[in-house]
Amino acid sequence: MQANVKIEEQIQTLLKNTIILDRRYLDDEQLDRNEQFKVLEEIFALDVRDTEIRDLSSHFAPMFRGDHPVHLSLYGKTGTGKTVTMLYFLNMLHSLCGKKKIDMMYIHLDLSTPKPCFRVLNDLACYLDASKRYKKGISLDELMGKIEEKMKNYQGYFIIFVDEVDHVRRDLDSFLKFLVKRLPQTGSSKLVLVFSSNKLNWQENIDPRIKSFLKVNELFFKPYNAHDLQKILSLRIKKALNAKMIEIGVLEKIAAVSSRTHGDARKAVELLSKSAIIAEREGIKVTMELVDRALDDIEKDKYVAMIKSSPKQLQATLYAIIALSSKSKTLYTGDAYVGYKTFCDRIHLRPLTQRAFSDMVSELDMYGFIQARLHSHGRYGRTKEISINLPHEVSDKLKQVILMECDLNPVY
DNA sequence: TGTCCACAGGAAATACGGGGGT
DNA sequence: ACCCCCGTATTTCCTGTGGACA
């Protein structure tokens, strides 16, 4: 009896302190297409990305006169809404075309993770239902043929949205050549290509003959400013969180910090989400200080997540470096390599050559785990000076994580 | 000024693993 | 089942190098 009361009390307080009401709205991945569009609609209704949408409209307007719009290039850093805005726009365009009885279809090729040319074409073919999913073994030509075959009888507008084009590894040239020169010549469909990229110069390295065929209109997405971010965040708060548990100023702070450092909407929402999670776990309101802590946490998680998804060899390299550099102040490649080999021995991993090890070190340097500066000691040789400038807690955490990964999955 | 250390980092060769064709 | 092809990971081999030292 008494226990019942107690439990009820506890549940009551928990409910009262609940912050996250619907966590799906804190992570777009968990929303389905329609829900995403709904959220977008609300955001765009607040005049966010208004100019971009206007530009897009005017770019595609010729379609309604039976004209053929030229290709389009979108530029903007990650998280500035290129993908989201374009998808939203295409969706609208699609339904508008439906109303006006204009034949139109669009395809979104998502390259957020880099893929070789082959896979991209395969994806395209799959969307068109022109081929099954291959991993390897079929020639590019054959794939292209299948796609052409499928498109031969299509008459209407055909929009291909290539998201993050510069991520086509190996042979971006032949991929573009196919899209720009070969595909338009098959059948009578009106092909419109939309490219997005966060590199301004992605066109620089492509074959000039193809480049000249890419008569592109360009559209720039500016990073979100604090004002826009506030609108976006407040919408998320409305959808996902218990507004009573969020102190005044938190929203503004997150928006300000985010716009100052990156202007990335996804990261801003992530920060909000992280703050809420911490607050809920500790049963307190979301305060300004909590936002700072969430910021730290995100930073740490980044490293941990990255090392977790890295190959064993890279993990071993990092472990050896962390372990060694806590003992001595300056660490050189040779010593690091020796330490790495002993560690490999311990976890039954076949050690790499020094040459390959050196590449691992460079990679870790690139990712920001360590710093490796080339330094010459005169007749005592030239080597990299390796140092770590992560906070101790982070490197300790990394060590733990790596050990766990290795001990649980011994190789060889 | 020449030597020589202890590597860096480029190029080419080789190993590997997964998948299709037959 | 066997062979071939392709893309990627490593190895092998190699040339290059800043500067302390004699």
Side-chain angles (χ1 to χ4, degrees), chain A residues 37-151:
Chain A
F37 282 138
K38 255 196 211 148
V39 173
L40 292 178
E41 213 160 309
E42 288 185 53
I43 287 177
F44 291 131
L46 296 171
D47 292 344
V48 178
R49 299 280 94 141
D50 203 29
T51 48
E52 283 80 3
I53 295 212
R54 232 199 310 270
D55 287 346
L56 283 176
S57 307
S58 73
H59 182 87
F60 285 97
M63 280 172 57
F64 297 94
R65 301 192 302 262
D67 243 357
H68 191 160
V70 295
H71 305 315
L72 177 66
S73 255
L74 309 180
Y75 293 102
K77 293 200 184 140
T78 45
T80 50
K82 284 166 304 196
T83 306
V84 143
T85 309
M86 194 64 211
L87 282 181
Y88 171 74
F89 180 80
L90 285 173
N91 189 260
M92 296 297 287
L93 194 65
H94 188 71
S95 59
L96 195 57
C97 284
K99 271 186 214 150
K100 303 238 172 183
K101 301 262 183 291
I102 298 173
D103 261 347
M104 173 276 203
M105 63 187 278
Y106 69 88
I107 281 177
H108 174 214
L109 290 180
D110 182 13
L111 291 172
S112 42
T113 52
K115 296 174 188 176
C117 172
F118 175 85
R119 208 155 301 251
V120 185
L121 280 177
N122 195 193
D123 280 353
L124 176 58
C126 289
Y127 281 125
L128 288 171
D129 206 13
S131 117
K132 61 173 175 159
R133 186 144 232 113
Y134 294 93
K135 294 240 170 160
K136 260 163 216 169
I138 185 174
S139 77
L140 290 181
D141 249 7
E142 248 174 291
L143 265 179
M144 293 177 183
K146 286 186 184 206
I147 295 170
E148 285 178 317
E149 186 63 30
K150 200 75 186 180
M151 291 313 300

Side-chain angles (χ1 to χ4, degrees), chain A residues 26 224-230 232-234 237 241 246-276 286-292 294-295 298:
Chain A
L26 291 175
Y224 291 108
N225 59 33
H227 202 217
D228 290 336
L229 285 174
Q230 276 188 31
I232 293 169
L233 288 169
S234 68
I237 292 178
L241 303 179
I246 296 169
E247 286 201 342
I248 304 165
V250 166
L251 167 73
E252 287 76 8
K253 171 156 185 169
I254 295 177
V257 170
S258 303
S259 74
R260 193 169 348 113
T261 53
H262 42 68
D264 182 331
R266 194 174 313 148
K267 284 189 192 162
V269 173
E270 192 191 339
L271 180 55
L272 173 68
S273 156
K274 191 91 197 179
S275 310
V286 182
T287 62
M288 307 273 246
E289 294 88 315
L290 221 61
V291 176
D292 289 327
L295 219 48
I298 287 177

Side-chain angles (χ1 to χ4, degrees), chain A residues 23 27 70 73 122 128 194 223 256 259 289 294 315 323 346 390-391 411:
Chain A
R23 68 181 64 238
D27 182 5
V70 295
S73 255
N122 195 193
L128 288 171
V194 180
S259 74
E289 294 88 315
Q315 297 180 356
R346 213 176 110 199
L390 299 172
V411 183

Side-chain angles (χ1 to χ4, degrees), chain A residues 290-384:
Chain A
L290 221 61
V291 176
D292 289 327
R293 276 175 52 197
L295 219 48
D296 279 354
D297 263 28
I298 287 177
E299 189 74 5
K300 266 184 245 164
D301 288 355
K302 241 182 15 199
Y303 288 110
V304 171
M306 190 165 236
I307 204 65
K308 260 191 186 167
S309 61
S310 300
K312 289 266 174 313
Q313 296 290 1
L314 202 71
Q315 297 180 356
T317 309
L318 182 61
Y319 184 90
I321 290 174
I322 293 177
L324 286 174
S325 70
S326 62
K327 285 183 199 138
S328 62
K329 293 186 283 294
T330 43
L331 183 61
Y332 303 114
T333 312
D335 303 332
Y337 182 61
V338 173
Y340 155 81
K341 277 209 289 199
T342 24
F343 180 64
C344 282
D345 222 34
R346 213 176 110 199
I347 62 168
H348 309 291
L349 185 70
R350 193 172 52 86
L352 295 172
T353 354
Q354 185 155 352
R355 176 68 187 81
F357 178 77
S358 159
D359 282 345
M360 296 285 146
V361 172
S362 308
E363 203 169 334
L364 285 173
D365 180 38
M366 251 177 41
Y367 291 149
F369 286 101
I370 62 175
Q371 268 166 316
R373 293 187 313 135
L374 192 57
H375 186 255
S376 172
H377 294 82
R379 73 178 306 176
Y380 302 114
R382 264 152 65 84
T383 178
K384 273 180 174 167

